[in-house]
Amino acid sequence: MAQVSRLPQPAPADPLKTGAATYSSGIADAQNYMNWVIEQFRPYLKGRIVEVGFGHGLYSRVLGELGDYCGIDHDRDSVEQASRAMPDRNFAVCDILAGEQLHALFPNGVDAVFTINVLEHIEDDAKAVANLVDVLKPGGHLLISVPALMLLYNDLDRLAGHFRRYSTTRLRDLLAGQPVELVRLSYFNPVGGLGWLANRLKRHESLNDDAVNGQIALFDKYMVPLSRALDPLSRSFFGQSVTCIARRV
């Protein structure tokens, strides 16, 4: 009987990583990609804006120009570093699994919660989503981007400490029963998804080696325009990420 060739199976995630250990430094220079991500959410980024897990800080610089911004993270070192690097922005330590911490920071609620590549790091993502919805004002928006499709899970996910990648169905289920209505739920960035799939064919030992950061630079410079052009055709079934916009009712 002929043997069926299978993609190599990456090891389970290391969920203990925090701060800069969870992303590649090269992403901080991917300005074209970042602009594209922001563009999806821009109409809803106003008023009191909270960014959950601000990472490299590039989004913080943009969001601070769009509204009353505060970046939160459970990693104290990340908060201290961001506060030093961007003294004109507000940052605070907060664990989104602790709803009382969110309400203590934002007792009057917020207009937008912006969370990019965060939920996949949290084992109890349902509790995290419920707490984020709970801190929204009526009419406020939960703005989510998460890695898409377990088919694409590879060593880069493991190194970043990802518990999972998402389907649109999983995100819909997470929001079921919450006091929100969906504005958008779709896949995003098909060319990036193909690149992520290709990375299943090789082993990675670091998020910050030259090969990984080189891929990011090449994608940002040459592939973002192509992926933007193809994105409307693939939103229903494939992409590197899932985009979700939900309005609090």
Side-chain angles (χ1 to χ4, degrees):
M1 181 180 293
Q3 291 186 338
V4 178
S5 176
R6 297 183 184 275
L7 291 169
Q9 297 302 306
D14 174 4
L16 301 177
K17 295 186 177 182
T18 60
T22 64
Y23 56 86
S24 304
S25 61
I27 197 67
D29 297 318
Q31 188 68 58
N32 294 323
Y33 176 73
M34 299 298 165
N35 289 342
W36 185 22
V37 171
I38 287 283
E39 185 179 296
Q40 302 177 91
F41 301 117
R42 189 178 289 271
Y44 312 99
L45 289 166
K46 53 191 174 183
R48 185 61 157 140
I49 300 170
V50 173
E51 182 183 11
V52 179
F54 43 81
H56 46 72
L58 186 57
Y59 292 118
S60 307
R61 300 183 187 279
V62 177
L63 298 178
E65 303 298 323
L66 299 177
D68 180 13
Y69 172 85
C70 181
I72 61 174
D73 199 293
H74 71 105
D75 183 63
R76 186 171 298 276
D77 287 343
S78 293
V79 171
E80 291 175 353
Q81 291 170 18
S83 298
R84 289 194 298 269
M86 291 173 279
D88 58 330
R89 299 284 185 264
N90 293 318
F91 299 95
V93 177
C94 182
D95 181 356
I96 63 173
L97 290 175
E100 67 278 7
Q101 293 185 23
L102 279 167
H103 283 285
L105 276 175
F106 311 109
N108 298 317
V110 303
D111 299 291
V113 172
F114 178 85
T115 175
I116 306 297
N117 296 334
V118 170
L119 294 179
E120 67 274 14
H121 295 276
I122 301 173
E123 188 167 13
D124 192 352
D125 55 349
K127 183 175 182 180
V129 166
N131 287 344
L132 295 177
V133 169
D134 195 47
V135 81
L136 284 170
K137 298 177 183 177
H141 291 85
L142 178 60
L143 311 172
I144 298 172
S145 179
V146 286
L149 302 172
M150 283 302 294
L151 170 68
L152 306 184
Y153 193 100
N154 63 44
D155 281 332
L156 299 177
D157 293 283
R158 174 183 62 81
L159 290 166
H162 294 174
F163 281 100
R164 69 193 74 82
R165 298 179 71 91
Y166 287 80
S167 65
T168 52
T169 299
R170 181 173 178 120
L171 264 185
R172 188 185 302 275
D173 290 346
L174 280 178
L175 290 166
Q178 296 295 326
V180 297
E181 57 184 12
L182 286 173
V183 176
R184 175 178 172 181
L185 181 60
S186 63
Y187 293 100
F188 173 76
N189 185 12
V191 174
L194 292 174
W196 212 261
L197 183 61
N199 272 298
R200 289 201 64 178
L201 300 174
K202 60 185 299 186
R203 291 298 186 209
H204 295 278
E205 299 300 331
S206 172
L207 290 175
N208 260 329
D209 62 25
D210 291 342
V212 172
N213 287 326
Q215 286 184 38
I216 294 170
L218 286 172
F219 173 78
D220 191 62
K221 186 173 182 179
Y222 297 110
M223 293 291 103
V224 166
L226 175 61
S227 201
R228 289 184 67 135
L230 294 175
D231 190 70
L233 305 177
S234 61
R235 288 176 184 170
S236 64
F237 63 93
F238 184 75
Q240 180 178 331
S241 305
V242 176
T243 291
C244 179
I245 300 171
R247 179 186 297 114
R248 174 74 187 260
V249 296

